Amino acid sequence: MKLERKGGKDAMYPQYLFEYPNVETDFPFYMKKKKYTSVPSHRHDFIELSFVLEGTGKERINGTEHNLQPGTVVLLLPYQIHEYDATPGETLQMYICNFDMKLLTAGPESAWGVYELLIGSDNPRSTHIRLEGHDLEEGLLLWERLYREYESSKAWKPIMLRALLLEALALFVRGSDKPDGKRIERQHQKNSKSIWPIVQYVYNHYLEPLSLTSLSEQFHIHPTQLSTQFGSEFGIHFIDFLHELRIRHACSLLISSDLPISQIAYESGFSSYPTFSRSFHRTKGMSPRDYREQQWRER
């Protein structure tokens, strides 16, 4: 994975994860089983689904803290800021899945509830649940199967992984809908229904001319309110959010093509080369030309 930390005036922004193994394949899914004691504040532009196997600790998602313990399942949407720490003297062992949102919103399953789960609905969505009893036993077996399948090289592997991933999400949804006595307290997000469809739209149309004004008109929300929501949800200004998506696209073109850099700027959605150059340097810490030369040397 790659981490970017902004410097200078943007140093308050959390770390930004923008790549993971397999991200550029036709099945953008990655899974690992790892032990942690502490993970600093960060965000990423892909979905993360995790399952705690051993240990206890605390996680903060957009500033709201919850407990981590065996059986805790966490579903993080793109760009949510989070961090976690193990209890002193302990280690958290976790399964972690990273995957592209389009892996789940492109098929007919989106009409069955997946889209509402990921993008938002009238009811606030739980970011985390804790499986107990029979559900915990079922979860352990399911996540073990998912991990074994990921590590294998069997035929139809992507099909099996997607099926198991959907099963894990179904277990998450059913766990969050338990009666009050079993339900984990929900993390309330104001206006979640209005912000996440916009995030998904920007994610799908970032190469097109976009602005707070045009988005506010399309989604019937005041530009000031939309700007405030981006700041509170992601700790970043809308324009920087948009530019980061475009810079990622530009990086792919710089690495994989010999297009002139000025053309790449426009191919990546920027209306002017100076804006592209400033944004690229702020995000990557170097010029587009230096980035291309560095990547070509490494490859």
Side-chain angles (χ1 to χ4, degrees):
M1 289 188 182
K2 293 189 178 181
L3 279 169
E4 295 293 331
R5 181 177 290 280
K6 298 177 179 293
K9 67 177 182 176
D10 295 322
M12 77 288 293
Y13 288 177
Q15 290 177 315
Y16 174 38
L17 280 166
F18 61 94
E19 288 186 1
Y20 56 93
N22 305 327
V23 67
E24 300 296 342
T25 67
D26 58 0
F27 189 75
F29 177 89
Y30 171 66
M31 186 176 184
K32 60 185 175 182
K33 180 181 181 181
K34 195 169 181 179
K35 294 183 177 180
Y36 298 94
T37 55
S38 180
V39 174
S41 178
H42 66 285
R43 57 196 166 90
H44 33 66
D45 59 6
F46 45 85
I47 299 172
E48 180 171 293
L49 182 66
S50 62
F51 180 89
V52 178
L53 283 168
E54 299 176 2
T56 63
K58 300 282 187 182
E59 180 175 34
R60 286 161 293 282
I61 302 174
N62 287 351
T64 300
E65 187 174 272
H66 69 91
N67 293 324
L68 292 175
Q69 50 194 311
T72 299
V73 185
V74 179
L75 177 63
L76 285 163
L77 293 175
Y79 312 110
Q80 288 186 304
I81 301 167
H82 72 118
E83 59 185 310
Y84 47 88
D85 296 286
T87 301
E90 294 191 36
T91 300
L92 286 163
Q93 185 177 43
M94 305 169 67
Y95 285 123
I96 296 179
C97 299
N98 301 132
F99 52 96
D100 193 293
M101 183 183 294
K102 288 181 285 189
L103 196 64
L104 299 178
T105 58
E109 296 85 355
S110 61
W112 307 336
V114 172
Y115 186 87
E116 286 77 9
L117 171 68
L118 298 177
I119 304 303
S121 63
D122 290 322
N123 299 316
R125 181 188 59 80
S126 295
T127 58
H128 58 282
I129 63 168
R130 186 189 177 201
L131 302 177
E132 299 178 286
H134 176 72
D135 289 341
L136 177 56
E137 294 176 5
E138 184 180 350
L140 285 168
L141 292 174
L142 173 59
W143 280 83
E144 184 180 348
R145 284 188 63 201
L146 184 61
Y147 187 65
R148 284 204 313 267
E149 186 67 36
Y150 179 77
E151 291 289 293
S152 77
S153 56
K154 297 179 180 179
W156 286 31
K157 176 178 171 179
I159 295 175
M160 286 297 296
L161 284 175
R162 191 169 186 271
L164 291 168
L165 178 60
L166 285 171
E167 187 175 349
L169 285 170
L171 192 61
F172 175 88
V173 171
R174 292 175 180 180
S176 65
D177 290 336
K178 291 286 186 181
D180 289 342
K182 292 285 188 179
R183 183 182 298 163
I184 296 292
E185 183 180 355
R186 292 177 182 265
Q187 176 183 329
H188 292 281
Q189 300 174 11
K190 295 180 179 179
N191 300 313
S192 61
K193 186 178 181 181
S194 59
I195 190 65
W196 286 108
I198 299 173
V199 171
Q200 174 71 348
Y201 183 85
V202 174
Y203 192 85
N204 290 333
H205 299 273
Y206 62 87
L207 297 179
E208 303 170 13
L210 294 176
S211 68
L212 278 174
T213 301
S214 64
L215 289 172
S216 63
E217 291 175 353
Q218 180 171 346
F219 289 91
H220 309 291
I221 179 173
H222 195 277
T224 301
Q225 181 184 350
L226 182 55
S227 177
T228 300
Q229 283 186 250
F230 264 96
S232 61
E233 290 282 350
F234 313 125
I236 187 172
H237 301 300
F238 165 75
I239 192 63
D240 294 323
F241 172 88
L242 176 61
H243 283 178
E244 284 181 345
L245 293 178
R246 290 173 172 173
I247 292 300
R248 176 179 175 181
H249 183 84
C251 287
S252 295
L253 292 177
L254 287 166
I255 295 171
S256 62
S257 76
D258 57 0
L259 287 172
I261 294 177
S262 58
Q263 183 177 344
I264 287 177
Y266 294 104
E267 291 282 348
S268 301
F270 288 90
S271 59
S272 72
Y273 182 81
T275 300
F276 166 71
S277 182
R278 287 194 301 271
S279 181
F280 194 99
H281 194 281
R282 184 178 60 188
T283 302
K284 307 299 293 183
M286 65 183 73
S287 70
R289 186 177 305 280
D290 288 343
Y291 177 84
R292 168 179 268 175
E293 291 176 355
Q294 179 192 74
Q295 294 298 313
W296 283 1
R297 285 196 303 269
E298 292 179 356
R299 288 167 181 256

